[in-house]
mmCIF file of all heavy atoms in Angstrom:
data_model
loop_
_atom_site.group_PDB
_atom_site.id
_atom_site.type_symbol
_atom_site.label_atom_id
_atom_site.label_comp_id
_atom_site.label_asym_id
_atom_site.label_seq_id
_atom_site.Cartn_x
_atom_site.Cartn_y
_atom_site.Cartn_z
ATOM 1 N N CYS A 366 5.456 -1.085 25.206
ATOM 2 C CA CYS A 366 4.115 -0.500 25.109
ATOM 3 C C CYS A 366 3.090 -1.439 25.728
ATOM 4 O O CYS A 366 2.181 -1.012 26.440
ATOM 5 C CB CYS A 366 3.740 -0.268 23.643
ATOM 6 S SG CYS A 366 4.686 0.998 22.845
ATOM 7 N N ILE A 369 2.962 -1.323 29.451
ATOM 8 C CA ILE A 369 2.321 -0.137 30.016
ATOM 9 C C ILE A 369 0.808 -0.341 30.062
ATOM 10 O O ILE A 369 0.138 0.085 30.992
ATOM 11 C CB ILE A 369 2.643 1.102 29.167
ATOM 12 C CG1 ILE A 369 4.149 1.340 29.123
ATOM 13 C CG2 ILE A 369 1.904 2.294 29.669
ATOM 14 C CD1 ILE A 369 4.644 2.285 30.115
ATOM 15 N N TYR A 371 -1.011 -0.763 26.664
ATOM 16 C CA TYR A 371 -1.560 -0.643 25.322
ATOM 17 C C TYR A 371 -1.902 -2.012 24.767
ATOM 18 O O TYR A 371 -1.173 -2.970 24.948
ATOM 19 C CB TYR A 371 -0.554 0.028 24.401
ATOM 20 C CG TYR A 371 -0.501 1.517 24.546
ATOM 21 C CD1 TYR A 371 0.550 2.136 25.200
ATOM 22 C CD2 TYR A 371 -1.504 2.324 24.024
ATOM 23 C CE1 TYR A 371 0.606 3.500 25.327
ATOM 24 C CE2 TYR A 371 -1.465 3.689 24.158
ATOM 25 C CZ TYR A 371 -0.412 4.271 24.804
ATOM 26 O OH TYR A 371 -0.357 5.625 24.936
ATOM 27 N N LYS A 372 -3.032 -2.058 24.050
ATOM 28 C CA LYS A 372 -3.417 -3.320 23.425
ATOM 29 C C LYS A 372 -2.964 -3.383 21.984
ATOM 30 O O LYS A 372 -2.936 -4.423 21.365
ATOM 31 C CB LYS A 372 -4.940 -3.504 23.471
ATOM 32 C CG LYS A 372 -5.501 -3.557 24.858
ATOM 33 C CD LYS A 372 -5.069 -4.815 25.589
ATOM 34 C CE LYS A 372 -5.584 -4.771 27.007
ATOM 35 N NZ LYS A 372 -4.716 -5.430 27.955
ATOM 36 N N GLY A 373 -2.697 -2.243 21.408
ATOM 37 C CA GLY A 373 -2.264 -2.218 20.018
ATOM 38 C C GLY A 373 -1.629 -0.876 19.728
ATOM 39 O O GLY A 373 -1.635 0.029 20.559
ATOM 40 N N GLU A 375 -0.681 1.933 16.267
ATOM 41 C CA GLU A 375 -0.610 2.225 14.840
ATOM 42 C C GLU A 375 0.829 2.041 14.386
ATOM 43 O O GLU A 375 1.761 2.395 15.104
ATOM 44 C CB GLU A 375 -1.018 3.680 14.592
ATOM 45 C CG GLU A 375 -2.497 3.931 14.721
ATOM 46 C CD GLU A 375 -2.810 5.394 14.454
ATOM 47 O OE1 GLU A 375 -1.849 6.171 14.236
ATOM 48 O OE2 GLU A 375 -3.990 5.750 14.466
ATOM 49 N N ALA A 378 3.034 5.173 14.406
ATOM 50 C CA ALA A 378 3.345 5.594 15.774
ATOM 51 C C ALA A 378 4.427 4.703 16.366
ATOM 52 O O ALA A 378 5.373 5.183 16.997
ATOM 53 C CB ALA A 378 2.078 5.534 16.629
ATOM 54 N N LEU A 382 8.192 5.863 17.485
ATOM 55 C CA LEU A 382 8.709 5.631 18.840
ATOM 56 C C LEU A 382 9.998 4.823 18.804
ATOM 57 O O LEU A 382 10.934 5.081 19.558
ATOM 58 C CB LEU A 382 7.639 4.897 19.656
ATOM 59 C CG LEU A 382 7.674 5.083 21.163
ATOM 60 C CD1 LEU A 382 7.685 6.543 21.520
ATOM 61 C CD2 LEU A 382 6.477 4.398 21.775
ATOM 62 N N ILE A 385 12.779 7.046 17.783
ATOM 63 C CA ILE A 385 13.224 7.861 18.905
ATOM 64 C C ILE A 385 14.080 7.040 19.860
ATOM 65 O O ILE A 385 15.098 7.525 20.367
ATOM 66 C CB ILE A 385 12.007 8.455 19.640
ATOM 67 C CG1 ILE A 385 11.352 9.500 18.760
ATOM 68 C CG2 ILE A 385 12.412 9.069 20.965
ATOM 69 C CD1 ILE A 385 10.063 9.985 19.295
ATOM 70 N N ALA A 386 13.690 5.803 20.098
ATOM 71 C CA ALA A 386 14.458 4.963 21.018
ATOM 72 C C ALA A 386 15.873 4.750 20.498
ATOM 73 O O ALA A 386 16.855 4.880 21.241
ATOM 74 C CB ALA A 386 13.762 3.613 21.199
ATOM 75 N N THR A 387 15.994 4.432 19.210
ATOM 76 C CA THR A 387 17.335 4.193 18.664
ATOM 77 C C THR A 387 18.153 5.476 18.652
ATOM 78 O O THR A 387 19.359 5.470 18.926
ATOM 79 C CB THR A 387 17.260 3.622 17.244
ATOM 80 O OG1 THR A 387 16.457 4.488 16.449
ATOM 81 C CG2 THR A 387 16.651 2.248 17.240
ATOM 82 N N SER A 397 28.561 10.338 25.472
ATOM 83 C CA SER A 397 29.521 9.803 26.437
ATOM 84 C C SER A 397 30.873 9.573 25.769
ATOM 85 O O SER A 397 31.919 9.786 26.392
ATOM 86 C CB SER A 397 29.002 8.527 27.077
ATOM 87 O OG SER A 397 28.898 7.520 26.142
ATOM 88 N N ALA A 398 30.870 9.187 24.487
ATOM 89 C CA ALA A 398 32.150 9.026 23.790
ATOM 90 C C ALA A 398 32.850 10.375 23.657
ATOM 91 O O ALA A 398 34.062 10.490 23.852
ATOM 92 C CB ALA A 398 31.922 8.401 22.414
ATOM 93 N N GLU A 408 38.069 5.363 26.052
ATOM 94 C CA GLU A 408 36.987 4.507 26.517
ATOM 95 C C GLU A 408 36.175 5.233 27.571
ATOM 96 O O GLU A 408 36.718 5.787 28.519
ATOM 97 C CB GLU A 408 37.562 3.201 27.072
ATOM 98 C CG GLU A 408 38.142 2.353 25.967
ATOM 99 C CD GLU A 408 38.755 1.075 26.489
ATOM 100 O OE1 GLU A 408 38.892 0.935 27.708
ATOM 101 O OE2 GLU A 408 39.100 0.231 25.665
ATOM 102 N N SER A 409 34.879 5.173 27.404
ATOM 103 C CA SER A 409 34.005 5.896 28.327
ATOM 104 C C SER A 409 33.911 5.173 29.655
ATOM 105 O O SER A 409 34.069 3.960 29.726
ATOM 106 C CB SER A 409 32.604 6.002 27.726
ATOM 107 O OG SER A 409 32.661 6.431 26.409
ATOM 108 N N GLN A 425 13.776 18.522 29.437
ATOM 109 C CA GLN A 425 12.563 18.818 30.209
ATOM 110 C C GLN A 425 12.881 19.145 31.650
ATOM 111 O O GLN A 425 11.996 19.430 32.416
ATOM 112 C CB GLN A 425 11.565 17.647 30.154
ATOM 113 C CG GLN A 425 12.042 16.377 30.807
ATOM 114 C CD GLN A 425 12.669 15.469 29.793
ATOM 115 O OE1 GLN A 425 13.147 15.907 28.756
ATOM 116 N NE2 GLN A 425 12.683 14.197 30.082
ATOM 117 N N SER A 437 29.706 13.315 42.733
ATOM 118 C CA SER A 437 28.922 12.128 43.041
ATOM 119 C C SER A 437 27.808 11.967 42.022
ATOM 120 O O SER A 437 27.018 12.861 41.806
ATOM 121 C CB SER A 437 28.327 12.274 44.442
ATOM 122 O OG SER A 437 27.436 11.215 44.669
ATOM 123 N N GLN A 456 10.939 -6.673 35.045
ATOM 124 C CA GLN A 456 11.755 -6.885 33.862
ATOM 125 C C GLN A 456 10.992 -7.691 32.831
ATOM 126 O O GLN A 456 10.302 -8.637 33.165
ATOM 127 C CB GLN A 456 13.018 -7.640 34.244
ATOM 128 C CG GLN A 456 13.768 -6.965 35.358
ATOM 129 C CD GLN A 456 14.827 -7.865 35.901
ATOM 130 O OE1 GLN A 456 15.180 -8.846 35.256
ATOM 131 N NE2 GLN A 456 15.336 -7.547 37.064
ATOM 132 N N ILE A 457 11.133 -7.305 31.603
ATOM 133 C CA ILE A 457 10.468 -8.038 30.519
ATOM 134 C C ILE A 457 11.551 -8.536 29.579
ATOM 135 O O ILE A 457 12.196 -7.749 28.898
ATOM 136 C CB ILE A 457 9.537 -7.107 29.724
ATOM 137 C CG1 ILE A 457 8.706 -6.258 30.664
ATOM 138 C CG2 ILE A 457 8.648 -7.919 28.816
ATOM 139 C CD1 ILE A 457 8.160 -5.046 29.982
ATOM 140 N N PHE A 459 13.267 -10.085 26.225
ATOM 141 C CA PHE A 459 12.988 -9.887 24.821
ATOM 142 C C PHE A 459 12.240 -11.104 24.278
ATOM 143 O O PHE A 459 12.508 -12.228 24.642
ATOM 144 C CB PHE A 459 14.304 -9.692 24.100
ATOM 145 C CG PHE A 459 14.157 -9.218 22.682
ATOM 146 C CD1 PHE A 459 13.515 -8.032 22.399
ATOM 147 C CD2 PHE A 459 14.658 -9.964 21.645
ATOM 148 C CE1 PHE A 459 13.381 -7.591 21.107
ATOM 149 C CE2 PHE A 459 14.525 -9.532 20.343
ATOM 150 C CZ PHE A 459 13.883 -8.347 20.070
ATOM 151 N N ARG A 466 25.233 -12.441 17.217
ATOM 152 C CA ARG A 466 26.103 -11.375 17.691
ATOM 153 C C ARG A 466 26.783 -10.738 16.493
ATOM 154 O O ARG A 466 27.362 -11.411 15.667
ATOM 155 C CB ARG A 466 27.129 -11.973 18.652
ATOM 156 C CG ARG A 466 27.965 -10.955 19.347
ATOM 157 C CD ARG A 466 28.603 -11.552 20.586
ATOM 158 N NE ARG A 466 27.741 -11.489 21.735
ATOM 159 C CZ ARG A 466 27.700 -10.457 22.562
ATOM 160 N NH1 ARG A 466 28.444 -9.417 22.354
ATOM 161 N NH2 ARG A 466 26.902 -10.473 23.587
ATOM 162 N N SER A 470 31.378 -5.446 16.174
ATOM 163 C CA SER A 470 31.478 -4.649 17.389
ATOM 164 C C SER A 470 32.816 -4.856 18.065
ATOM 165 O O SER A 470 33.475 -3.924 18.465
ATOM 166 C CB SER A 470 30.344 -4.989 18.345
ATOM 167 O OG SER A 470 30.380 -6.367 18.644
ATOM 168 N N GLU A 522 35.865 -3.757 41.396
ATOM 169 C CA GLU A 522 34.725 -3.194 42.128
ATOM 170 C C GLU A 522 35.092 -1.895 42.810
ATOM 171 O O GLU A 522 34.301 -0.981 42.918
ATOM 172 C CB GLU A 522 34.261 -4.197 43.186
ATOM 173 C CG GLU A 522 33.394 -5.307 42.648
ATOM 174 C CD GLU A 522 32.104 -4.783 42.040
ATOM 175 O OE1 GLU A 522 31.554 -3.792 42.543
ATOM 176 O OE2 GLU A 522 31.674 -5.343 41.024
ATOM 177 N N ASN A 526 34.718 3.563 43.791
ATOM 178 C CA ASN A 526 35.015 4.445 44.913
ATOM 179 C C ASN A 526 36.126 5.411 44.599
ATOM 180 O O ASN A 526 36.922 5.738 45.452
ATOM 181 C CB ASN A 526 35.444 3.593 46.120
ATOM 182 C CG ASN A 526 34.357 2.618 46.498
ATOM 183 O OD1 ASN A 526 33.188 2.914 46.310
ATOM 184 N ND2 ASN A 526 34.728 1.467 46.999
ATOM 185 N N MET A 532 42.674 9.126 43.342
ATOM 186 C CA MET A 532 43.240 9.962 42.282
ATOM 187 C C MET A 532 44.692 10.244 42.581
ATOM 188 O O MET A 532 45.548 10.170 41.712
ATOM 189 C CB MET A 532 42.463 11.277 42.185
ATOM 190 C CG MET A 532 41.141 11.146 41.488
ATOM 191 S SD MET A 532 41.348 10.884 39.740
ATOM 192 C CE MET A 532 41.281 12.534 39.140
ATOM 193 N N ASN B 478 38.386 14.960 36.395
ATOM 194 C CA ASN B 478 39.183 16.173 36.193
ATOM 195 C C ASN B 478 40.149 16.295 37.363
ATOM 196 O O ASN B 478 40.242 15.436 38.207
ATOM 197 C CB ASN B 478 38.285 17.399 36.138
ATOM 198 C CG ASN B 478 37.128 17.173 35.210
ATOM 199 O OD1 ASN B 478 37.191 16.331 34.340
ATOM 200 N ND2 ASN B 478 36.056 17.880 35.423
ATOM 201 N N ASP B 493 27.660 7.123 49.112
ATOM 202 C CA ASP B 493 27.276 7.239 47.711
ATOM 203 C C ASP B 493 27.901 6.122 46.901
ATOM 204 O O ASP B 493 27.265 5.517 46.041
ATOM 205 C CB ASP B 493 27.747 8.584 47.142
ATOM 206 C CG ASP B 493 26.955 9.729 47.728
ATOM 207 O OD1 ASP B 493 25.915 9.443 48.356
ATOM 208 O OD2 ASP B 493 27.357 10.877 47.560
ATOM 209 N N ASP B 494 29.153 5.883 47.176
ATOM 210 C CA ASP B 494 29.860 4.907 46.361
ATOM 211 C C ASP B 494 29.355 3.495 46.603
ATOM 212 O O ASP B 494 29.255 2.706 45.663
ATOM 213 C CB ASP B 494 31.360 4.978 46.642
ATOM 214 C CG ASP B 494 31.940 6.286 46.145
ATOM 215 O OD1 ASP B 494 31.350 6.873 45.226
ATOM 216 O OD2 ASP B 494 32.974 6.712 46.667
ATOM 217 N N THR B 498 27.792 1.149 43.849
ATOM 218 C CA THR B 498 28.287 -0.203 43.591
ATOM 219 C C THR B 498 27.144 -1.198 43.598
ATOM 220 O O THR B 498 27.083 -2.089 42.747
ATOM 221 C CB THR B 498 29.320 -0.604 44.657
ATOM 222 O OG1 THR B 498 30.116 0.522 44.972
ATOM 223 C CG2 THR B 498 30.199 -1.717 44.170
ATOM 224 N N THR B 508 17.356 -7.626 33.320
ATOM 225 C CA THR B 508 17.252 -7.969 31.899
ATOM 226 C C THR B 508 16.207 -7.057 31.272
ATOM 227 O O THR B 508 15.033 -7.372 31.264
ATOM 228 C CB THR B 508 16.807 -9.433 31.718
ATOM 229 O OG1 THR B 508 15.744 -9.680 32.642
ATOM 230 C CG2 THR B 508 17.932 -10.385 31.934
ATOM 231 N N THR B 510 14.180 -4.989 28.271
ATOM 232 C CA THR B 510 13.541 -5.527 27.087
ATOM 233 C C THR B 510 14.446 -5.467 25.861
ATOM 234 O O THR B 510 14.417 -6.337 25.001
ATOM 235 C CB THR B 510 12.253 -4.732 26.816
ATOM 236 O OG1 THR B 510 11.586 -4.538 28.053
ATOM 237 C CG2 THR B 510 11.359 -5.503 25.886
ATOM 238 N N GLU B 517 24.543 -3.159 21.942
ATOM 239 C CA GLU B 517 25.952 -3.141 21.554
ATOM 240 C C GLU B 517 26.106 -2.583 20.148
ATOM 241 O O GLU B 517 27.017 -1.808 19.859
ATOM 242 C CB GLU B 517 26.459 -4.575 21.595
ATOM 243 C CG GLU B 517 27.817 -4.745 22.180
ATOM 244 C CD GLU B 517 28.160 -6.212 22.238
ATOM 245 O OE1 GLU B 517 27.840 -6.841 23.250
ATOM 246 O OE2 GLU B 517 28.732 -6.695 21.243
ATOM 247 N N TYR B 519 24.120 -0.516 18.481
ATOM 248 C CA TYR B 519 23.899 0.924 18.391
ATOM 249 C C TYR B 519 25.000 1.713 19.076
ATOM 250 O O TYR B 519 25.393 2.781 18.613
ATOM 251 C CB TYR B 519 22.536 1.291 18.991
ATOM 252 C CG TYR B 519 21.394 1.017 18.053
ATOM 253 C CD1 TYR B 519 20.430 0.068 18.348
ATOM 254 C CD2 TYR B 519 21.289 1.707 16.845
ATOM 255 C CE1 TYR B 519 19.392 -0.178 17.470
ATOM 256 C CE2 TYR B 519 20.263 1.452 15.974
ATOM 257 C CZ TYR B 519 19.315 0.510 16.290
ATOM 258 O OH TYR B 519 18.293 0.255 15.425
ATOM 259 N N SER B 523 27.806 4.438 17.231
ATOM 260 C CA SER B 523 27.996 5.837 17.593
ATOM 261 C C SER B 523 29.364 6.099 18.161
ATOM 262 O O SER B 523 29.619 7.182 18.661
ATOM 263 C CB SER B 523 26.955 6.243 18.635
ATOM 264 O OG SER B 523 25.694 5.843 18.237
ATOM 265 N N GLY B 524 30.244 5.129 18.154
ATOM 266 C CA GLY B 524 31.596 5.372 18.603
ATOM 267 C C GLY B 524 31.797 5.207 20.094
ATOM 268 O O GLY B 524 32.736 5.738 20.663
ATOM 269 N N PHE B 525 30.961 4.471 20.735
ATOM 270 C CA PHE B 525 31.076 4.260 22.175
ATOM 271 C C PHE B 525 31.959 3.056 22.419
ATOM 272 O O PHE B 525 31.685 1.976 21.942
ATOM 273 C CB PHE B 525 29.685 4.005 22.741
ATOM 274 C CG PHE B 525 29.644 3.789 24.207
ATOM 275 C CD1 PHE B 525 29.484 4.859 25.054
ATOM 276 C CD2 PHE B 525 29.726 2.518 24.735
ATOM 277 C CE1 PHE B 525 29.416 4.664 26.412
ATOM 278 C CE2 PHE B 525 29.662 2.318 26.090
ATOM 279 C CZ PHE B 525 29.501 3.390 26.927
ATOM 280 N N GLN B 526 33.031 3.292 23.182
ATOM 281 C CA GLN B 526 33.959 2.201 23.426
ATOM 282 C C GLN B 526 34.089 1.985 24.913
ATOM 283 O O GLN B 526 34.459 2.900 25.635
ATOM 284 C CB GLN B 526 35.326 2.574 22.869
ATOM 285 C CG GLN B 526 35.774 1.715 21.732
ATOM 286 C CD GLN B 526 37.171 2.058 21.337
ATOM 287 O OE1 GLN B 526 37.472 3.227 21.186
ATOM 288 N NE2 GLN B 526 38.000 1.073 21.208
ATOM 289 N N CYS B 527 33.782 0.780 25.319
ATOM 290 C CA CYS B 527 33.971 0.524 26.740
ATOM 291 C C CYS B 527 34.043 -0.969 26.977
ATOM 292 O O CYS B 527 33.147 -1.697 26.574
ATOM 293 C CB CYS B 527 32.821 1.121 27.538
ATOM 294 S SG CYS B 527 33.105 1.012 29.287
ATOM 295 N N PRO B 528 35.068 -1.441 27.631
ATOM 296 C CA PRO B 528 35.154 -2.874 27.872
ATOM 297 C C PRO B 528 34.214 -3.335 28.980
ATOM 298 O O PRO B 528 33.954 -4.510 29.119
ATOM 299 C CB PRO B 528 36.610 -3.069 28.288
ATOM 300 C CG PRO B 528 37.022 -1.744 28.830
ATOM 301 C CD PRO B 528 36.246 -0.717 28.094
ATOM 302 N N LYS B 544 10.944 5.682 27.249
ATOM 303 C CA LYS B 544 9.748 5.208 26.563
ATOM 304 C C LYS B 544 8.552 5.269 27.495
ATOM 305 O O LYS B 544 7.482 5.730 27.137
ATOM 306 C CB LYS B 544 9.907 3.746 26.131
ATOM 307 C CG LYS B 544 10.968 3.479 25.139
ATOM 308 C CD LYS B 544 10.548 3.868 23.745
ATOM 309 C CE LYS B 544 11.495 4.901 23.192
ATOM 310 N NZ LYS B 544 11.456 6.144 23.858
ATOM 311 N N GLN B 548 4.921 7.486 27.344
ATOM 312 C CA GLN B 548 3.627 6.855 27.175
ATOM 313 C C GLN B 548 2.704 7.090 28.357
ATOM 314 O O GLN B 548 1.510 6.929 28.230
ATOM 315 C CB GLN B 548 3.804 5.367 26.959
ATOM 316 C CG GLN B 548 4.338 5.104 25.580
ATOM 317 C CD GLN B 548 5.075 3.812 25.541
ATOM 318 O OE1 GLN B 548 4.938 3.015 26.458
ATOM 319 N NE2 GLN B 548 5.849 3.594 24.527
ATOM 320 N N GLU B 551 -0.492 9.723 27.641
ATOM 321 C CA GLU B 551 -1.782 9.396 27.066
ATOM 322 C C GLU B 551 -2.000 7.901 27.216
ATOM 323 O O GLU B 551 -1.354 7.122 26.549
ATOM 324 C CB GLU B 551 -1.811 9.764 25.580
ATOM 325 C CG GLU B 551 -1.454 11.217 25.282
ATOM 326 C CD GLU B 551 -2.627 12.128 25.556
ATOM 327 O OE1 GLU B 551 -3.757 11.617 25.614
ATOM 328 O OE2 GLU B 551 -2.405 13.333 25.706
ATOM 329 N N ARG B 553 -4.313 5.214 26.452
ATOM 330 C CA ARG B 553 -5.471 4.662 25.755
ATOM 331 C C ARG B 553 -5.150 3.232 25.375
ATOM 332 O O ARG B 553 -4.078 2.736 25.624
ATOM 333 C CB ARG B 553 -5.780 5.481 24.493
ATOM 334 C CG ARG B 553 -5.919 6.944 24.720
ATOM 335 C CD ARG B 553 -7.353 7.310 25.074
ATOM 336 N NE ARG B 553 -7.453 8.711 25.465
ATOM 337 C CZ ARG B 553 -7.590 9.697 24.592
ATOM 338 N NH1 ARG B 553 -7.659 9.441 23.300
ATOM 339 N NH2 ARG B 553 -7.657 10.931 25.014
ATOM 340 N N LEU B 554 -6.105 2.612 24.687
ATOM 341 C CA LEU B 554 -5.862 1.218 24.330
ATOM 342 C C LEU B 554 -4.897 1.084 23.161
ATOM 343 O O LEU B 554 -4.116 0.159 23.097
ATOM 344 C CB LEU B 554 -7.181 0.544 23.971
ATOM 345 C CG LEU B 554 -7.957 0.019 25.177
ATOM 346 C CD1 LEU B 554 -9.203 -0.690 24.704
ATOM 347 C CD2 LEU B 554 -7.089 -0.925 25.972
ATOM 348 N N ILE B 555 -5.037 2.014 22.218
ATOM 349 C CA ILE B 555 -4.215 1.882 21.023
ATOM 350 C C ILE B 555 -3.344 3.125 20.902
ATOM 351 O O ILE B 555 -3.830 4.243 21.043
ATOM 352 C CB ILE B 555 -5.091 1.715 19.769
ATOM 353 C CG1 ILE B 555 -5.918 0.443 19.920
ATOM 354 C CG2 ILE B 555 -4.236 1.670 18.524
ATOM 355 C CD1 ILE B 555 -6.449 -0.109 18.659
ATOM 356 N N LEU B 556 -2.097 2.900 20.671
ATOM 357 C CA LEU B 556 -1.160 4.015 20.529
ATOM 358 C C LEU B 556 -1.405 4.674 19.175
ATOM 359 O O LEU B 556 -1.158 4.072 18.135
ATOM 360 C CB LEU B 556 0.270 3.481 20.631
ATOM 361 C CG LEU B 556 1.380 4.501 20.454
ATOM 362 C CD1 LEU B 556 1.420 5.457 21.607
ATOM 363 C CD2 LEU B 556 2.704 3.785 20.315
ATOM 364 N N MET B 558 -1.085 8.098 16.488
ATOM 365 C CA MET B 558 -0.116 9.099 16.095
ATOM 366 C C MET B 558 -0.405 10.448 16.765
ATOM 367 O O MET B 558 0.507 11.189 17.121
ATOM 368 C CB MET B 558 -0.179 9.234 14.579
ATOM 369 C CG MET B 558 1.093 9.497 13.866
ATOM 370 S SD MET B 558 2.496 8.569 14.434
ATOM 371 C CE MET B 558 3.748 9.745 14.044
ATOM 372 N N LEU B 561 0.735 10.376 20.364
ATOM 373 C CA LEU B 561 2.193 10.331 20.409
ATOM 374 C C LEU B 561 2.781 11.699 20.098
ATOM 375 O O LEU B 561 3.709 12.156 20.762
ATOM 376 C CB LEU B 561 2.709 9.289 19.419
ATOM 377 C CG LEU B 561 4.205 9.005 19.501
ATOM 378 C CD1 LEU B 561 4.534 8.366 20.824
ATOM 379 C CD2 LEU B 561 4.620 8.098 18.378
ATOM 380 N N LEU B 565 5.074 13.842 22.601
ATOM 381 C CA LEU B 565 6.458 14.127 22.245
ATOM 382 C C LEU B 565 6.739 15.613 22.182
ATOM 383 O O LEU B 565 7.883 16.043 22.310
ATOM 384 C CB LEU B 565 6.794 13.487 20.893
ATOM 385 C CG LEU B 565 6.953 11.974 20.944
ATOM 386 C CD1 LEU B 565 7.119 11.425 19.550
ATOM 387 C CD2 LEU B 565 8.145 11.599 21.789
ATOM 388 N N TYR B 568 8.545 17.003 24.974
ATOM 389 C CA TYR B 568 9.961 16.673 25.041
ATOM 390 C C TYR B 568 10.750 17.386 23.975
ATOM 391 O O TYR B 568 11.929 17.114 23.784
ATOM 392 C CB TYR B 568 10.149 15.160 24.899
ATOM 393 C CG TYR B 568 9.741 14.413 26.134
ATOM 394 C CD1 TYR B 568 8.413 14.128 26.382
ATOM 395 C CD2 TYR B 568 10.690 14.003 27.060
ATOM 396 C CE1 TYR B 568 8.037 13.450 27.517
ATOM 397 C CE2 TYR B 568 10.329 13.319 28.189
ATOM 398 C CZ TYR B 568 8.999 13.047 28.415
ATOM 399 O OH TYR B 568 8.641 12.379 29.542
#
Side-chain angles (χ1 to χ4, degrees):
Chain A
C366 292
I369 300 265
Y371 281 105
K372 299 292 176 212
E375 286 180 357
L382 206 53
I385 290 172
T387 54
S397 66
E408 291 178 350
S409 312
Q425 65 265 24
S437 172
Q456 306 168 16
I457 314 160
F459 191 59
R466 188 161 274 272
S470 58
E522 280 298 325
N526 301 329
M532 283 288 268
Chain B
N478 312 338
D493 290 347
D494 292 335
T498 322
T508 44
T510 317
E517 222 177 271
Y519 281 115
S523 312
F525 181 90
Q526 245 186 313
C527 187
K544 296 282 121 294
Q548 287 155 15
E551 305 281 341
R553 307 272 173 85
L554 276 183
I555 299 200
L556 178 69
M558 216 42 210
L561 188 66
L565 286 173
Y568 286 81

